[in-house]
Amino acid sequence: MLETDALVLREKTISENDKMLSILTPEMGRVTAFAKGAKSLRSHMAGACRAFCYGHFVLNERSDAYSVSSAEPIMSFHELESDLVRLALANYFAEAAGYIALDSGDSAEILQLMLNCLYVLTKKNVSVQTVKMVFELRAMCILGYMPAVEGCMACGETEGAVWYFDGDEGGILCRDCHEQEQYGSRIALPASAVQALKYIISADAKKIFSFTLGEGAMKAVTKAVEDFFVQGVDTELKTLDFYKKTLI
């Protein structure tokens, strides 16, 4: 038997009243758990066994998964269901976090990142582009792929109005080094965008969304971070495509 506070990433109905849950735990990463009777409104577990609910779970180990003995909600993010764009982004986070945490053991950091991003999404006082970029960049840092943004990867230059983000190498180049080695795919970033990257990497979790960028800089840096993240995760995330369709 295991007691844990965990986030439901996904739910699937498997019979009239039963559910199969994908939950993100701090101790064991992503696990599958079967919740008997959880679909019934009369079930004491109904409130906790829903997607984007953070709760206290008591799990019993089975041969290939877990069964839920009890579940009590701690915090719910069900408000996302009323906003298609933010719900689609939350599902993208859930798929990515589940992949990162699959059988990975200690997943406390990615769980905390998920909770922070879901909380901000429900408040709607931060743009979806900002939340998405924060999730992707911090997730890459958790995976051990912190990009080199303190200065040019090639020459060490730290001053410049324009930088070039190289997703393959995971860092920035100054204009001179970019022009000398024009191979691969790079995205031009203004100095303000690079400062935002530095801030996201190093900021305290409670202040991580406290930055602003102009429209042009935001567009460039979100593209650079997304490419960097997708390449680092190295798997197809179908929820990302759906999220992009909701923006059209």
Side-chain angles (χ1 to χ4, degrees):
M1 184 176 292
L2 170 70
E3 289 194 44
T4 184
D5 293 337
L7 175 69
V8 179
L9 299 176
R10 204 178 96 180
E11 60 176 294
K12 180 180 180 181
T13 299
I14 55 174
S15 66
E16 185 176 354
N17 288 315
D18 302 340
K19 290 183 178 182
M20 180 174 67
L21 307 177
S22 178
I23 63 176
L24 179 58
T25 72
E27 309 93 342
M28 303 178 298
R30 189 191 82 187
V31 299
T32 299
F34 293 91
K36 189 172 180 61
K39 190 170 174 60
S40 172
L41 295 178
R42 293 176 294 180
S43 171
H44 66 283
M45 300 190 298
C49 294
R50 293 180 58 185
F52 306 122
C53 183
Y54 179 62
H56 183 74
F57 290 82
V58 178
L59 308 174
N60 286 317
E61 189 171 3
R62 295 168 45 163
S63 58
D64 58 348
Y66 290 85
S67 62
V68 181
S69 294
S70 67
E72 298 178 3
I74 297 173
M75 182 181 297
S76 170
F77 302 100
H78 298 155
E79 303 99 311
L80 293 169
E81 296 173 2
S82 64
D83 188 315
L84 180 59
V85 173
R86 290 174 183 265
L87 178 61
L89 187 57
N91 277 302
Y92 168 54
F93 293 165
E95 183 182 13
Y99 180 80
I100 292 169
L102 180 61
D103 300 324
S104 64
D106 185 3
S107 297
E109 285 187 275
I110 191 67
L111 173 58
Q112 187 60 58
L113 178 63
M114 273 291 300
L115 293 173
N116 289 349
C117 289
L118 291 177
Y119 178 80
V120 173
L121 279 180
T122 60
K123 297 305 175 184
K124 298 186 178 182
N125 57 350
V126 178
S127 72
V128 290
Q129 292 87 354
T130 297
V131 184
K132 177 175 176 289
M133 179 170 59
V134 166
F135 175 85
E136 291 170 335
L137 188 55
R138 289 292 281 246
M140 285 297 282
C141 293
I142 291 171
L143 283 169
Y145 299 117
M146 183 183 297
V149 293
E150 292 299 325
C152 177
M153 293 184 295
C155 71
E157 177 62 57
T158 58
E159 300 294 331
V162 178
W163 298 89
Y164 295 85
F165 189 88
D166 189 321
D168 294 332
E169 298 297 327
I172 57 173
L173 292 171
C174 65
R175 185 187 296 274
D176 289 342
C177 292
H178 164 69
E179 292 176 349
Q180 290 174 16
E181 301 179 10
Q182 291 191 23
Y183 59 88
S185 177
R186 296 175 186 149
I187 297 177
L189 299 179
S192 60
V194 174
Q195 288 300 318
L197 293 177
K198 293 178 183 178
Y199 180 83
I200 295 169
I201 290 171
S202 61
D204 181 84
K206 294 181 179 180
K207 300 179 180 179
I208 197 170
F209 300 97
S210 301
F211 67 92
T212 57
L213 278 174
E215 184 177 348
M218 177 64 81
K219 184 176 181 180
V221 75
T222 51
K223 171 61 175 171
V225 171
E226 179 186 297
D227 290 350
F228 181 52
F229 178 72
V230 171
Q231 182 172 303
V233 174
D234 194 26
T235 189
E236 182 182 5
L237 298 171
K238 295 180 180 179
T239 48
L240 176 57
D241 292 332
F242 181 74
Y243 163 70
K244 290 181 178 179
K245 289 178 181 177
T246 66
L247 301 175
I248 298 175

